[in-house]
Amino acid sequence: MAGHRTSWVLHVDLDQFVAAVEVLRRPELAGRPVIVGGRGDPSERAVVSTASYEAREFGVGSGMPLRIAARKAPDAVILPVDAEAYGAASAAVMATLRVQPGAIVQVLGWDEAFVGVETADPEAYARRIQQAVLDRTRLHCSVGIGDTLVRAKVATGFGKPRGVFRLTAGNWLEVMGDRPTIELWGVGTKISRRLAGLGIATVAELAAADPDALAAEFGPRMGPWYAELGRGDGTDVVDDTPWVARGHSRETTYQQDLTEPGQIEDAVRELAAHVLDDVAAEGRPVIGLTLKVRYAPFITKVFTKKIASTTDRAVVVARTLELVGRIEPDRPIRLLGLRAEMTMPDDAREGHSPTRSGW
């Protein structure tokens, strides 16, 4: 019975993490709308990395162009991204989680992690985590409690900010059933639209959907997985095996559109150099390439290519330039991105996580 359960998954999510780190460095910004993105200049092409709760009240959100965010929240303080500071703060948080009694910690990103724990009182354990993180880092977090990773992750949204919420098989459909599928972890705009095309609009409808119909739409692996998501089911195992990246990517938004073939080739070569430096640090060969092209004003295309396994930089660059040939001529380009996929080591963590989708 759920009431006697002692094995729990906790999802720890730092509240407005990047903005909170900036406010700690500049206490005078507390309570003010704060936007972090690009080089902090809304006249440049850049997007919002994060926005404080105060800025979100104006409709500012992650991924929004900075110039639009500045218009929505004219009194907001706009700051440049400082990845080094956020990385240091994140490391302190994760170190705090790892020293909690009996904790198994699976890091999901800068600002979130799963914690597996045996306890008869997960709410009390969650509150202790919140206090420990606050004492060590002065950062607040929310904690979702679940009997699977999916339920714990979704629960956190109901606990924000600074709260604790529990979702289990017992209350999943009561809490989530009438909500749109896009509120599920791993279901974005495109997938929710495709589900709607099958007559599936809510979480309850997805939970009750025919797996065969889903498999026909999404494939034999992903179809049943979406049905599982609708029920909140899945693994309850928190895996602390260090995450191994499948690939590395870099992208650049250009302040002036690229219009000449020579400009585009030079830009791709520069991206490739940075990506290959990241790949070299892994010591694994490249087996696939993805070139992301955003034409002006804002139309994005993605070109992919599998290549023979290689660690030769010149070969990877040559294969990348072959992808450049698929770019439409005479169309101005505002962004380029390059991702290199690598072979995976034998002992890499297995399984699918909705947050590990790359681009």
Side-chain angles (χ1 to χ4, degrees):
M1 293 175 59
H4 298 291
R5 185 182 182 92
T6 59
S7 178
W8 294 98
V9 179
L10 277 57
H11 176 253
V12 180
D13 194 359
L14 292 157
D15 297 331
Q16 54 174 7
F17 171 59
V18 169
V21 172
E22 293 292 357
V23 170
L24 284 180
R25 299 201 291 181
R26 302 170 175 84
E28 70 276 9
L29 299 182
R32 295 186 59 185
V34 175
I35 299 169
V36 180
R39 296 189 292 189
D41 184 350
S43 70
E44 295 184 350
R45 288 177 174 175
V47 297
V48 175
S49 294
T50 194
S52 67
Y53 292 130
E54 294 81 5
R56 294 176 201 179
E57 290 177 3
F58 290 91
V60 177
S62 298
M64 177 181 290
L66 264 189
R67 58 183 172 76
I68 294 176
R71 284 207 301 266
K72 285 180 174 287
D75 295 328
V77 177
I78 302 177
L79 300 172
V81 173
D82 185 348
E84 190 173 329
Y86 315 142
S90 174
V93 170
M94 300 308 165
T96 303
L97 296 180
R98 290 189 180 99
V99 297
Q100 299 311 300
I104 300 170
V105 178
Q106 178 177 337
V107 177
L108 288 181
W110 259 348
D111 59 349
E112 59 177 329
F114 286 120
V115 177
V117 65
E118 297 282 339
T119 177
D121 190 346
E123 277 79 9
Y125 193 97
R127 293 293 183 191
R128 287 196 295 272
I129 281 179
Q130 289 176 316
Q131 192 61 51
V133 170
L134 183 62
D135 290 346
R136 169 82 181 269
T137 67
R138 297 186 293 153
L139 294 168
H140 291 278
C141 61
S142 300
V143 182
I145 299 168
D147 48 4
T148 65
L149 271 65
V150 167
R151 293 192 187 112
K153 168 78 174 177
V154 174
T156 315
F158 295 98
K160 283 190 167 291
R162 305 184 184 184
V164 174
F165 193 87
R166 186 195 293 202
L167 262 181
T168 65
N171 68 341
W172 172 258
L173 285 178
E174 176 189 342
V175 174
M176 292 296 296
D178 293 334
R179 293 177 178 270
T181 58
I182 199 169
E183 293 192 20
L184 289 169
W185 182 34
V187 176
T189 304
K190 291 180 181 178
I191 297 300
S192 65
R193 284 179 185 155
R194 289 172 68 182
L195 288 169
L198 299 175
I200 299 168
T202 68
V203 172
E205 289 167 347
L206 180 57
D210 178 0
D212 291 337
L214 291 171
E217 173 68 22
F218 298 105
R221 185 174 70 91
M222 296 305 295
W225 185 74
Y226 284 124
E228 189 175 85
L229 266 189
R231 298 188 300 272
D233 290 343
T235 185
D236 62 356
V237 177
V238 177
D239 184 354
D240 61 357
T241 306
W243 186 260
V244 177
R246 238 171 231 291
H248 284 290
S249 59
R250 295 288 188 109
E251 63 180 45
T252 301
T253 299
Y254 302 98
Q255 298 308 312
Q256 264 76 47
D257 293 341
L258 305 181
T259 56
E260 301 297 328
Q263 283 182 310
I264 296 166
E265 182 174 322
D266 288 346
V268 170
R269 285 182 181 275
E270 184 177 351
L271 276 176
H274 290 305
V275 170
L276 286 168
D277 286 344
D278 296 337
V279 167
E282 300 272 358
R284 289 180 281 142
V286 175
I287 57 172
L289 296 165
T290 302
L291 181 66
K292 177 170 155 183
V293 181
R294 181 164 295 149
Y295 300 109
F298 214 81
I299 299 165
T300 304
K301 298 290 184 182
V302 175
F303 308 112
T304 61
K305 185 184 191 70
K306 293 293 182 186
I307 67 172
S309 177
T310 182
T311 56
D312 188 321
R313 291 176 72 104
V315 170
V316 175
V317 171
R319 297 294 173 267
T320 302
L321 292 176
E322 290 172 6
L323 283 175
V324 173
R326 296 168 66 179
I327 295 175
E328 294 181 45
D330 304 320
R331 290 195 68 177
I333 293 170
R334 61 177 291 149
L335 174 147
L336 287 171
L338 180 65
R339 174 179 170 84
E341 184 180 341
M342 301 172 290
T343 57
M344 294 294 281
D346 293 338
D347 59 352
R349 183 189 301 168
E350 295 181 359
H352 179 82
S353 169
T355 62
R356 301 289 178 183
S357 58
W359 283 331

